[in-house]
Short mmCIF file of all heavy atoms in Angstrom, two decimals:
data_model
loop_
_atom_site.label_atom_id
_atom_site.label_comp_id
_atom_site.label_asym_id
_atom_site.label_seq_id
_atom_site.Cartn_x
_atom_site.Cartn_y
_atom_site.Cartn_z
N MET G 283 -2.25 23.08 -12.37
CA MET G 283 -1.37 21.93 -12.77
C MET G 283 -2.34 20.80 -13.12
O MET G 283 -3.35 20.55 -12.46
CB MET G 283 -0.59 21.62 -11.45
CG MET G 283 0.40 20.43 -11.73
SD MET G 283 1.60 20.02 -10.37
CE MET G 283 1.18 20.92 -8.98
N SER G 284 -1.94 20.09 -14.15
CA SER G 284 -2.81 18.95 -14.52
C SER G 284 -2.42 17.70 -13.83
O SER G 284 -1.99 17.83 -12.74
CB SER G 284 -2.72 18.73 -16.04
OG SER G 284 -1.33 18.47 -16.41
N ALA G 285 -2.56 16.60 -14.36
CA ALA G 285 -2.21 15.28 -13.74
C ALA G 285 -0.88 15.26 -13.18
O ALA G 285 0.07 15.67 -13.86
CB ALA G 285 -2.41 14.10 -14.66
N SER G 286 -0.69 14.93 -11.95
CA SER G 286 0.59 14.91 -11.37
C SER G 286 0.75 13.63 -10.45
O SER G 286 -0.14 12.98 -10.04
CB SER G 286 0.71 16.14 -10.39
OG SER G 286 1.82 16.11 -9.56
N SER G 287 1.97 13.20 -10.28
CA SER G 287 2.38 12.05 -9.49
C SER G 287 2.53 12.56 -8.09
O SER G 287 2.80 11.67 -7.17
CB SER G 287 3.51 11.30 -9.97
OG SER G 287 4.71 12.07 -9.94
N VAL G 288 2.39 13.74 -7.74
CA VAL G 288 2.58 14.30 -6.35
C VAL G 288 1.21 14.12 -5.67
O VAL G 288 0.17 14.59 -6.24
CB VAL G 288 3.02 15.72 -6.41
CG1 VAL G 288 3.10 16.26 -4.96
CG2 VAL G 288 4.44 15.82 -7.10
N GLU G 289 1.24 13.72 -4.49
CA GLU G 289 -0.01 13.60 -3.71
C GLU G 289 -0.61 14.98 -3.46
O GLU G 289 0.10 15.91 -3.04
CB GLU G 289 0.31 12.93 -2.35
CG GLU G 289 -0.99 12.69 -1.53
CD GLU G 289 -0.66 12.00 -0.23
OE1 GLU G 289 0.41 11.36 -0.07
OE2 GLU G 289 -1.48 12.03 0.58
N GLU G 290 -1.90 15.15 -3.69
CA GLU G 290 -2.61 16.48 -3.47
C GLU G 290 -2.78 16.59 -1.98
O GLU G 290 -3.00 15.65 -1.24
CB GLU G 290 -3.89 16.41 -4.22
CG GLU G 290 -3.76 16.35 -5.72
CD GLU G 290 -3.01 17.60 -6.33
OE1 GLU G 290 -3.14 18.64 -5.87
OE2 GLU G 290 -2.19 17.36 -7.32
N PRO G 291 -2.70 17.82 -1.48
CA PRO G 291 -2.97 18.02 -0.09
C PRO G 291 -4.39 17.53 0.29
O PRO G 291 -5.37 17.66 -0.43
CB PRO G 291 -2.96 19.56 0.13
CG PRO G 291 -2.15 20.02 -1.03
CD PRO G 291 -2.39 19.05 -2.24
N GLY G 292 -4.49 16.77 1.42
CA GLY G 292 -5.83 16.28 1.93
C GLY G 292 -6.24 15.03 1.22
O GLY G 292 -7.22 14.48 1.55
N GLU G 293 -5.52 14.54 0.23
CA GLU G 293 -5.88 13.26 -0.46
C GLU G 293 -5.43 12.08 0.35
O GLU G 293 -4.29 12.08 0.73
CB GLU G 293 -5.15 13.27 -1.84
CG GLU G 293 -5.47 11.98 -2.64
CD GLU G 293 -4.72 12.02 -3.96
OE1 GLU G 293 -3.71 12.78 -4.15
OE2 GLU G 293 -5.08 11.15 -4.75
N PRO G 294 -6.27 11.21 0.58
CA PRO G 294 -5.87 10.03 1.33
C PRO G 294 -4.78 9.28 0.60
O PRO G 294 -4.72 9.19 -0.60
CB PRO G 294 -7.19 9.20 1.36
CG PRO G 294 -8.29 10.09 1.09
CD PRO G 294 -7.70 11.14 0.14
N LEU G 295 -3.82 8.75 1.43
CA LEU G 295 -2.65 8.05 0.86
C LEU G 295 -3.07 6.93 -0.09
O LEU G 295 -2.38 6.70 -1.04
CB LEU G 295 -1.72 7.66 2.04
CG LEU G 295 -0.40 7.00 1.62
CD1 LEU G 295 0.36 8.00 0.76
CD2 LEU G 295 0.39 6.67 2.86
N ALA G 296 -4.04 6.14 0.35
CA ALA G 296 -4.50 5.05 -0.36
C ALA G 296 -4.80 5.45 -1.85
O ALA G 296 -4.57 4.75 -2.83
CB ALA G 296 -5.66 4.35 0.22
N GLU G 297 -5.48 6.65 -2.06
CA GLU G 297 -5.86 6.99 -3.35
C GLU G 297 -4.62 7.41 -4.13
O GLU G 297 -4.52 7.16 -5.39
CB GLU G 297 -6.76 8.22 -3.25
CG GLU G 297 -8.21 7.85 -2.82
CD GLU G 297 -9.18 9.08 -2.72
OE1 GLU G 297 -8.89 10.09 -3.45
OE2 GLU G 297 -10.05 9.02 -1.96
N ALA G 298 -3.72 7.98 -3.50
CA ALA G 298 -2.39 8.37 -4.15
C ALA G 298 -1.66 7.12 -4.63
O ALA G 298 -1.18 7.06 -5.72
CB ALA G 298 -1.51 9.22 -3.36
N GLU G 299 -1.66 6.05 -3.78
CA GLU G 299 -1.04 4.83 -4.07
C GLU G 299 -1.73 4.09 -5.18
O GLU G 299 -1.04 3.48 -6.03
CB GLU G 299 -0.88 3.96 -2.86
CG GLU G 299 0.08 4.53 -1.80
CD GLU G 299 -0.08 3.87 -0.46
OE1 GLU G 299 -1.11 3.32 -0.16
OE2 GLU G 299 0.76 4.06 0.39
N ALA G 300 -3.01 4.19 -5.21
CA ALA G 300 -3.79 3.45 -6.28
C ALA G 300 -3.45 3.98 -7.68
O ALA G 300 -3.58 3.30 -8.63
CB ALA G 300 -5.31 3.58 -6.07
N ARG G 301 -3.00 5.30 -7.77
CA ARG G 301 -2.66 5.82 -9.10
C ARG G 301 -1.50 5.20 -9.68
O ARG G 301 -1.36 5.25 -10.92
CB ARG G 301 -2.47 7.31 -8.91
CG ARG G 301 -3.81 8.14 -8.78
CD ARG G 301 -3.58 9.55 -9.07
NE ARG G 301 -2.33 10.06 -8.48
CZ ARG G 301 -2.40 10.97 -7.42
NH1 ARG G 301 -3.47 11.31 -7.01
NH2 ARG G 301 -1.21 11.41 -6.89
N THR G 302 -0.54 4.66 -8.88
CA THR G 302 0.68 4.07 -9.33
C THR G 302 0.50 2.84 -10.20
O THR G 302 1.27 2.55 -11.06
CB THR G 302 1.68 3.79 -8.20
OG1 THR G 302 1.13 2.79 -7.39
CG2 THR G 302 1.97 5.01 -7.36
N GLY G 303 -0.57 2.10 -9.88
CA GLY G 303 -0.89 0.86 -10.55
C GLY G 303 0.09 -0.26 -10.24
O GLY G 303 0.17 -1.29 -10.93
N LEU G 304 0.91 -0.05 -9.17
CA LEU G 304 1.92 -1.08 -8.73
C LEU G 304 1.34 -1.93 -7.63
O LEU G 304 0.46 -1.47 -6.88
CB LEU G 304 3.16 -0.42 -8.32
CG LEU G 304 4.01 0.37 -9.26
CD1 LEU G 304 5.08 1.05 -8.64
CD2 LEU G 304 4.49 -0.59 -10.35
N SER G 305 1.75 -3.09 -7.61
CA SER G 305 1.47 -3.96 -6.41
C SER G 305 2.67 -4.77 -6.03
O SER G 305 3.49 -5.07 -6.87
CB SER G 305 0.21 -4.89 -6.68
OG SER G 305 0.57 -5.77 -7.75
N CYS G 306 2.72 -5.09 -4.82
CA CYS G 306 3.97 -5.83 -4.24
C CYS G 306 3.91 -7.23 -4.80
O CYS G 306 2.93 -7.93 -4.62
CB CYS G 306 3.85 -5.84 -2.71
SG CYS G 306 5.18 -6.80 -1.93
N PRO G 307 5.04 -7.73 -5.31
CA PRO G 307 5.09 -9.08 -5.85
C PRO G 307 5.14 -10.13 -4.75
O PRO G 307 4.91 -11.23 -4.94
CB PRO G 307 6.39 -9.09 -6.66
CG PRO G 307 7.29 -8.00 -6.12
CD PRO G 307 6.26 -6.95 -5.65
N SER G 308 5.41 -9.67 -3.53
CA SER G 308 5.46 -10.53 -2.35
C SER G 308 4.10 -10.75 -1.65
O SER G 308 3.70 -11.92 -1.54
CB SER G 308 6.49 -10.01 -1.34
OG SER G 308 6.61 -10.90 -0.26
N CYS G 309 3.46 -9.61 -1.37
CA CYS G 309 2.22 -9.78 -0.60
C CYS G 309 1.00 -9.30 -1.44
O CYS G 309 -0.15 -9.52 -1.06
CB CYS G 309 2.23 -9.08 0.72
SG CYS G 309 2.20 -7.23 0.51
N GLY G 310 1.17 -8.57 -2.66
CA GLY G 310 0.08 -8.19 -3.47
C GLY G 310 -0.51 -6.82 -3.03
O GLY G 310 -1.42 -6.36 -3.64
N SER G 311 0.02 -6.23 -2.03
CA SER G 311 -0.48 -4.90 -1.52
C SER G 311 -0.23 -3.84 -2.59
O SER G 311 0.77 -3.82 -3.25
CB SER G 311 0.14 -4.56 -0.17
OG SER G 311 -0.20 -3.26 0.15
N SER G 312 -1.17 -2.82 -2.69
CA SER G 312 -0.86 -1.72 -3.54
C SER G 312 -0.24 -0.54 -2.73
O SER G 312 -0.04 0.52 -3.39
CB SER G 312 -2.23 -1.25 -4.14
OG SER G 312 -3.09 -0.81 -3.01
N GLN G 313 0.20 -0.81 -1.52
CA GLN G 313 0.88 0.26 -0.73
C GLN G 313 2.37 0.24 -1.07
O GLN G 313 3.14 -0.28 -0.35
CB GLN G 313 0.62 0.00 0.75
CG GLN G 313 -0.85 0.13 1.10
CD GLN G 313 -1.05 -0.17 2.55
OE1 GLN G 313 -0.17 -0.08 3.42
NE2 GLN G 313 -2.25 -0.43 2.99
N VAL G 314 2.70 0.78 -2.22
CA VAL G 314 4.03 0.82 -2.78
C VAL G 314 4.54 2.17 -2.81
O VAL G 314 3.95 3.04 -3.41
CB VAL G 314 4.05 0.04 -4.11
CG1 VAL G 314 5.46 0.10 -4.70
CG2 VAL G 314 3.55 -1.31 -4.05
N ALA G 315 5.82 2.32 -2.32
CA ALA G 315 6.52 3.67 -2.44
C ALA G 315 7.64 3.54 -3.38
O ALA G 315 8.29 2.52 -3.49
CB ALA G 315 7.00 4.13 -1.07
N GLN G 316 7.88 4.65 -4.27
CA GLN G 316 8.92 4.67 -5.12
C GLN G 316 10.09 5.33 -4.42
O GLN G 316 9.92 6.44 -3.88
CB GLN G 316 8.49 5.40 -6.41
CG GLN G 316 9.57 5.49 -7.49
CD GLN G 316 9.04 6.21 -8.67
OE1 GLN G 316 7.83 6.30 -8.88
NE2 GLN G 316 9.99 6.53 -9.56
N VAL G 317 11.29 4.74 -4.48
CA VAL G 317 12.50 5.28 -3.90
C VAL G 317 13.67 5.26 -4.84
O VAL G 317 13.65 4.51 -5.83
CB VAL G 317 12.80 4.61 -2.52
CG1 VAL G 317 11.65 4.76 -1.50
CG2 VAL G 317 13.15 3.17 -2.76
N LEU G 318 14.65 6.10 -4.46
CA LEU G 318 15.91 6.00 -5.24
C LEU G 318 16.73 4.93 -4.77
O LEU G 318 16.96 4.72 -3.57
CB LEU G 318 16.67 7.40 -5.17
CG LEU G 318 16.09 8.59 -5.80
CD1 LEU G 318 16.78 9.88 -5.52
CD2 LEU G 318 16.02 8.32 -7.35
N GLY G 319 17.34 4.12 -5.69
CA GLY G 319 18.19 3.05 -5.28
C GLY G 319 19.59 3.44 -5.01
O GLY G 319 19.95 4.65 -5.19
N ASP G 320 20.48 2.63 -4.57
CA ASP G 320 21.84 2.93 -4.23
C ASP G 320 22.64 3.49 -5.43
O ASP G 320 23.41 4.37 -5.26
CB ASP G 320 22.53 1.69 -3.68
CG ASP G 320 22.00 1.22 -2.35
OD1 ASP G 320 21.38 2.06 -1.59
OD2 ASP G 320 22.18 0.12 -1.98
N ASN G 321 22.37 3.04 -6.61
CA ASN G 321 23.15 3.43 -7.79
C ASN G 321 22.44 4.55 -8.63
O ASN G 321 22.73 4.77 -9.67
CB ASN G 321 23.41 2.25 -8.72
CG ASN G 321 22.17 1.60 -9.21
OD1 ASN G 321 21.05 1.99 -8.91
ND2 ASN G 321 22.27 0.56 -10.02
N GLY G 322 21.41 5.18 -7.94
CA GLY G 322 20.59 6.21 -8.59
C GLY G 322 19.40 5.74 -9.34
O GLY G 322 18.71 6.55 -9.92
N GLY G 323 19.23 4.47 -9.38
CA GLY G 323 18.15 3.84 -10.13
C GLY G 323 16.81 3.95 -9.33
O GLY G 323 16.87 4.47 -8.18
N ILE G 324 15.74 3.60 -9.87
CA ILE G 324 14.47 3.55 -9.19
C ILE G 324 14.24 2.15 -8.60
O ILE G 324 14.31 1.20 -9.22
CB ILE G 324 13.35 3.93 -10.14
CG1 ILE G 324 13.55 5.38 -10.75
CG2 ILE G 324 12.01 3.90 -9.41
CD1 ILE G 324 13.57 6.44 -9.83
N SER G 325 13.86 2.22 -7.30
CA SER G 325 13.38 1.02 -6.61
C SER G 325 12.06 1.26 -6.05
O SER G 325 11.55 2.37 -5.97
CB SER G 325 14.39 0.61 -5.49
OG SER G 325 15.73 0.32 -6.00
N TYR G 326 11.41 0.20 -5.51
CA TYR G 326 10.06 0.19 -4.99
C TYR G 326 10.13 -0.55 -3.58
O TYR G 326 10.80 -1.46 -3.45
CB TYR G 326 8.96 -0.48 -5.86
CG TYR G 326 9.06 0.24 -7.21
CD1 TYR G 326 9.80 -0.32 -8.30
CD2 TYR G 326 8.30 1.41 -7.46
CE1 TYR G 326 9.66 0.32 -9.58
CE2 TYR G 326 8.29 1.99 -8.71
CZ TYR G 326 9.05 1.35 -9.69
OH TYR G 326 8.95 2.06 -10.94
N VAL G 327 9.37 -0.03 -2.70
CA VAL G 327 9.32 -0.65 -1.33
C VAL G 327 7.81 -0.80 -0.98
O VAL G 327 7.04 0.18 -1.12
CB VAL G 327 10.00 0.24 -0.21
CG1 VAL G 327 9.81 -0.32 1.10
CG2 VAL G 327 11.49 0.35 -0.55
N CYS G 328 7.39 -1.86 -0.53
CA CYS G 328 6.03 -2.15 -0.11
C CYS G 328 6.01 -1.65 1.38
O CYS G 328 6.74 -2.07 2.22
CB CYS G 328 5.71 -3.62 -0.11
SG CYS G 328 4.04 -3.93 0.48
N THR G 329 5.09 -0.75 1.69
CA THR G 329 4.97 -0.17 3.00
C THR G 329 4.07 -1.15 3.89
O THR G 329 4.09 -0.78 5.07
CB THR G 329 4.40 1.27 2.97
OG1 THR G 329 3.08 1.21 2.31
CG2 THR G 329 5.32 2.18 2.23
N ALA G 330 3.48 -2.21 3.30
CA ALA G 330 2.77 -3.09 4.04
C ALA G 330 3.64 -4.17 4.66
O ALA G 330 3.56 -4.52 5.76
CB ALA G 330 1.61 -3.66 3.29
N CYS G 331 4.55 -4.75 3.81
CA CYS G 331 5.36 -5.88 4.20
C CYS G 331 6.83 -5.52 4.25
O CYS G 331 7.57 -6.37 4.89
CB CYS G 331 5.06 -7.13 3.41
SG CYS G 331 5.74 -7.08 1.79
N GLY G 332 7.28 -4.45 3.74
CA GLY G 332 8.67 -4.11 3.73
C GLY G 332 9.49 -4.69 2.60
O GLY G 332 10.68 -4.46 2.45
N HIS G 333 8.86 -5.53 1.66
CA HIS G 333 9.69 -6.11 0.56
C HIS G 333 10.08 -4.96 -0.42
O HIS G 333 9.36 -4.03 -0.61
CB HIS G 333 8.68 -7.01 -0.20
CG HIS G 333 9.27 -7.73 -1.43
ND1 HIS G 333 10.21 -8.63 -1.39
CD2 HIS G 333 9.16 -7.37 -2.76
CE1 HIS G 333 10.64 -8.95 -2.59
NE2 HIS G 333 9.89 -8.22 -3.44
N SER G 334 11.29 -5.02 -0.92
CA SER G 334 11.85 -4.04 -1.87
C SER G 334 12.24 -4.73 -3.15
O SER G 334 12.71 -5.94 -3.09
CB SER G 334 12.91 -3.24 -1.31
OG SER G 334 13.99 -4.06 -0.84
N TRP G 335 12.15 -4.08 -4.25
CA TRP G 335 12.48 -4.52 -5.55
C TRP G 335 12.79 -3.43 -6.56
O TRP G 335 12.49 -2.26 -6.28
CB TRP G 335 11.41 -5.53 -6.17
CG TRP G 335 10.14 -4.91 -6.58
CD1 TRP G 335 9.77 -4.45 -7.77
CD2 TRP G 335 9.07 -4.48 -5.67
NE1 TRP G 335 8.61 -3.96 -7.76
CE2 TRP G 335 8.08 -3.90 -6.53
CE3 TRP G 335 8.84 -4.54 -4.34
CZ2 TRP G 335 6.89 -3.38 -6.03
CZ3 TRP G 335 7.64 -4.01 -3.84
CH2 TRP G 335 6.76 -3.49 -4.68
N SER G 336 13.30 -3.71 -7.67
CA SER G 336 13.56 -2.60 -8.70
C SER G 336 13.17 -3.14 -10.01
O SER G 336 12.87 -4.30 -10.22
CB SER G 336 15.07 -2.23 -8.68
OG SER G 336 15.90 -3.32 -8.90
#
């Protein structure tokens, strides 16, 4: 498998998060998770401060 957005086994979470290129607009952290929104859209949640946005 070539480039993938799935975290590789044994890969530190920080490295997987760094690949997303996202940062929290509230605190600036790169610890951002992509989640499904209520209406099926894509939303993001900062795992450092809890801020969510879409």
Side-chain angles (χ1 to χ4, degrees):
M283 186 176 4
S284 62
S286 172
S287 63
V288 176
E289 183 179 344
E290 296 296 323
E293 180 181 16
L295 187 56
E297 289 181 22
E299 291 165 341
R301 285 198 312 251
T302 65
L304 294 172
S305 62
C306 176
S308 181
C309 73
S311 173
S312 63
Q313 297 180 17
V314 175
Q316 183 176 343
V317 295
L318 289 176
D320 292 337
N321 63 357
I324 301 296
S325 294
Y326 303 96
V327 176
C328 176
T329 58
C331 74
H333 178 75
S334 62
W335 69 99
S336 54

